[in-house]
Amino acid sequence: MPRVTEEHRAARRRQIVEAARRCFLREGFHRTSMQDVIAEAGLSVGAVYRYFPSKTDLINAIAEQAIGGASRVLEELAAQEPPLPLVEALDRILTYVETQLGDDGALRIAIQVWGEAQRDPALAAFVAEKYVGFRTAFGMLVRHAQASGELPADADPDATAAALFGFVPGWFTQRILTGAPDRATYLAGVRALLHATPRQ
């Protein structure tokens, strides 16, 4: 009997993940069952469960796709010499995020995942781990900005990183729910906030 190649396994896994993505976007997280995903993928029950024993495993795989791309963008920005100004770095990040905002984008599922994470401890732990990793990466950008003089040297880098990271879900949530603002308008607002002069 021929052995199943790694390439075949990867292709089958992608087939299942894409089927799940279509189901979740069409019917929502709660209304989609594993049977729906199996039917959408056109595979046997055993074939799907071999790769993904639960719906949470499928959600994790979909999240990893989007997070993996964002992580690569952040790693490149953190390693860039000389470092970009913060608003330019944020523009690079939002440019990637924009690729995930379409009707079939992973970020439309992200909002559903946030809600489900409130009741599913395993999913909550997964989401928390990924978001803490993002905050850590933003911390590196903040420290670069402090070293260059763009941010005050005495600012708390972790607190500043958490606030800076908050600009990302703040933007894509508004875009998904209201269709606005566009990236340029949002970044103009961020630039105004970052360069605001505090009252004496």
Side-chain angles (χ1 to χ4, degrees):
M1 198 168 174
R3 296 177 63 185
V4 177
T5 66
E6 188 60 38
E7 183 179 346
H8 174 82
R9 283 191 289 267
R12 182 55 51 84
R13 181 182 173 87
R14 285 194 300 272
Q15 179 183 354
I16 298 167
V17 169
E18 289 308 310
R21 181 199 295 268
R22 291 191 297 272
C23 288
F24 294 147
L25 287 169
R26 186 171 59 239
E27 298 295 336
F29 184 79
H30 286 290
R31 293 180 60 185
T32 298
S33 67
M34 286 296 286
Q35 289 299 321
D36 294 328
V37 175
I38 291 163
E40 183 77 19
L43 298 171
S44 69
V45 173
V48 172
Y49 277 99
R50 184 177 303 122
Y51 291 92
F52 298 100
S54 72
K55 192 161 66 173
T56 297
D57 293 316
L58 280 166
I59 286 289
N60 289 354
I62 290 169
E64 284 283 7
Q65 285 183 340
I67 288 170
S71 295
R72 286 190 293 275
V73 171
L74 282 168
E75 287 167 8
E76 290 170 5
L77 289 171
Q80 184 161 329
E81 290 293 342
L84 289 175
L86 282 178
V87 175
E88 289 185 36
L90 189 61
D91 188 19
R92 294 275 186 92
I93 296 163
L94 295 187
T95 297
Y96 168 75
V97 168
E98 202 162 28
T99 69
Q100 299 295 319
L101 277 174
D103 289 342
D104 62 346
L107 291 174
R108 293 183 180 275
I109 295 175
I111 293 178
Q112 298 181 49
V113 174
W114 294 346
E116 184 65 13
Q118 304 308 303
R119 58 169 289 284
D120 184 331
L123 187 58
F126 173 83
V127 171
E129 177 187 358
K130 298 304 180 183
Y131 275 65
V132 168
F134 277 135
R135 282 207 307 264
T136 299
F138 272 92
M140 296 177 68
L141 297 179
V142 167
R143 288 174 174 84
H144 287 322
Q146 288 178 303
S148 70
E150 185 181 6
L151 288 176
D154 60 352
D156 181 334
D158 293 331
T160 307
L164 186 64
F165 171 45
F167 285 130
V168 178
W171 178 63
F172 76 68
T173 303
Q174 291 184 71
R175 278 291 302 274
I176 290 171
L177 297 177
T178 72
D182 60 54
R183 182 163 46 88
T185 300
Y186 189 75
L187 287 168
V190 172
R191 187 176 288 107
L193 289 172
L194 289 179
H195 298 106
T197 301
R199 291 184 177 182
Q200 300 297 323

